[in-house]
Amino acid sequence: MSTRVLINGSRGRMGQALLSCIEADPSVSLAAATDVGDDLQSMLGGCDAVVDFSHATSTAGIADMCAITGKALIIGTTGHDDEARGHIAACAKTIPIVFAPNFSVGVNTLFWLTRKAAEILGPDFDLEVIEMHHRLKKDSPSGTARRLAEILAEVRDLDYARDVMHGREGMVGERTAREIGMHAIRGGDVVGDHTVVFANVGERVELTHKASSRDTFAKGALRAACWATCQRPGLYDMQDVLGLK
Ligand code: NAD
């Protein structure tokens, strides 16, 4: 039997990619498609899982509705503040939630490689994250870039809020060993590029992923929706869905 999904943010770029991928995927079916102005709550009854790619300010309310009605929730939306993240974690005590800044298999491999490279290369290598997205992207840095920096911080015993240096301007002084540089480039129609730079004196390693189609995120999110409906309540990410943990 197919998993019935409600797509929130359905008129957006990701929403449209999800709708077209659902048509080609027999393991899922469309229960409802909602966007700004629609009454999502009244449409929840016919779905097994909600897939949200909308705006960070709408996620907490959707998580509440899913928790009350017992629906699995897939969150692709990025740009949440700490309060919203805490709220999502609280709702995950009641329902399965897959919360991933990037649903592509390639990027989740990049997450894994980034952890390994940071462990192998050690503290002598300077760490920088560079991301590029299309000119219409609203949040910065991307959720994926933030996750890459979080992984680097975990391995090096650093703190995201304290040690990430967002861009550099003026007399910022020499680079310290504790900082993780973060740089967001915006332009054109770039779907999503991410590079992690490990730089030492005499050598440099760069890990890069480039997405060329939103279908890669959409297919991953639909895979997560099918997976989540069979899980116990909890907060999961795409590494859990792919069995990479
Ligand atoms: P978009 O601006 O093209 O689409 C967003 C849609 O959400 C719009 O149709 C908008 O009307 C709708 N929306 C906004 N507020 C809403 C609300 N309160 N209720 C219902 N609908 C609402 O953006 P996009 O490029 O489709 O990206 C959407 C989100 O997904 C962004 O946060 C983006 O960073 C994220 N994203 C995540 C991944 C991933 O793999 N996790 C991949 C790509 C994009």
Side-chain angles (χ1 to χ4, degrees):
M1 210 177 74
S2 68
T3 302
R4 300 167 304 166
V5 293
L6 182 155
I7 304 299
N8 188 51
S10 59
R11 289 201 292 270
R13 286 174 289 267
M14 276 306 302
Q16 293 296 302
L18 282 154
L19 296 184
S20 81
C21 287
I22 289 169
E23 278 181 26
D25 184 349
S27 67
V28 286
S29 60
L30 183 65
T34 56
D35 205 284
V36 171
D38 295 326
D39 182 6
L40 186 148
Q41 192 160 14
S42 69
M43 298 187 219
L44 274 176
C47 79
D48 304 309
V50 172
V51 178
D52 177 52
F53 282 77
S54 59
H55 190 273
T57 52
S58 68
T59 309
I62 294 166
D64 280 336
M65 287 183 231
C66 288
I68 290 165
T69 52
K71 306 293 179 185
L73 175 60
I74 313 306
I75 303 170
T77 306
T78 61
H80 303 92
D81 59 22
D82 288 344
E83 189 183 344
R85 286 168 170 265
H87 194 90
I88 291 164
C91 289
K93 294 192 166 75
T94 313
I95 51 167
I97 296 181
V98 183
F99 185 21
N102 199 305
F103 280 94
S104 96
V105 174
V107 159
N108 282 278
T109 306
L110 176 66
F111 289 155
W112 189 89
L113 290 169
T114 296
R115 184 178 295 281
K116 279 286 158 217
E119 286 169 357
I120 293 166
L121 296 172
D124 290 343
F125 281 74
D126 296 328
L127 307 171
E128 301 275 318
V129 178
I130 305 162
E131 58 107 326
M132 180 167 189
H133 283 82
H134 53 90
R135 62 169 69 133
L136 300 173
K137 184 165 177 62
K138 295 173 186 70
D139 56 314
S140 173
S142 72
T144 303
R146 180 188 167 111
R147 183 66 198 126
L148 287 165
E150 285 172 352
I151 291 168
L152 295 171
E154 283 163 24
V155 175
R156 293 274 282 263
D157 203 18
L158 300 172
D159 178 73
Y160 182 90
R162 187 192 61 208
D163 298 318
V164 171
M165 168 78 87
H166 295 273
R168 293 187 181 86
E169 187 193 12
M171 288 297 288
V172 292
E174 290 182 8
R175 190 190 198 290
T176 68
R178 287 190 68 81
E179 68 197 58
I180 300 172
M182 175 73 86
H183 313 277
I185 304 170
R186 294 288 174 268
D189 60 354
V190 176
V191 172
D193 295 355
H194 293 88
T195 295
V196 184
V197 180
F198 300 84
N200 199 353
V201 176
E203 62 175 338
R204 184 166 86 240
V205 177
E206 297 185 0
L207 301 176
T208 296
H209 175 271
K210 296 187 181 196
S212 49
S213 164
R214 288 184 178 82
D215 285 4
T216 184
F217 311 126
K219 286 176 186 165
L222 295 174
R223 180 169 170 175
C226 296
W227 181 87
T229 53
C230 305
Q231 304 305 313
R232 299 163 65 85
L235 188 57
Y236 303 100
D237 62 20
M238 198 56 187
Q239 309 268 306
D240 295 303
V241 177
L242 296 173
L244 289 175
K245 282 187 173 163

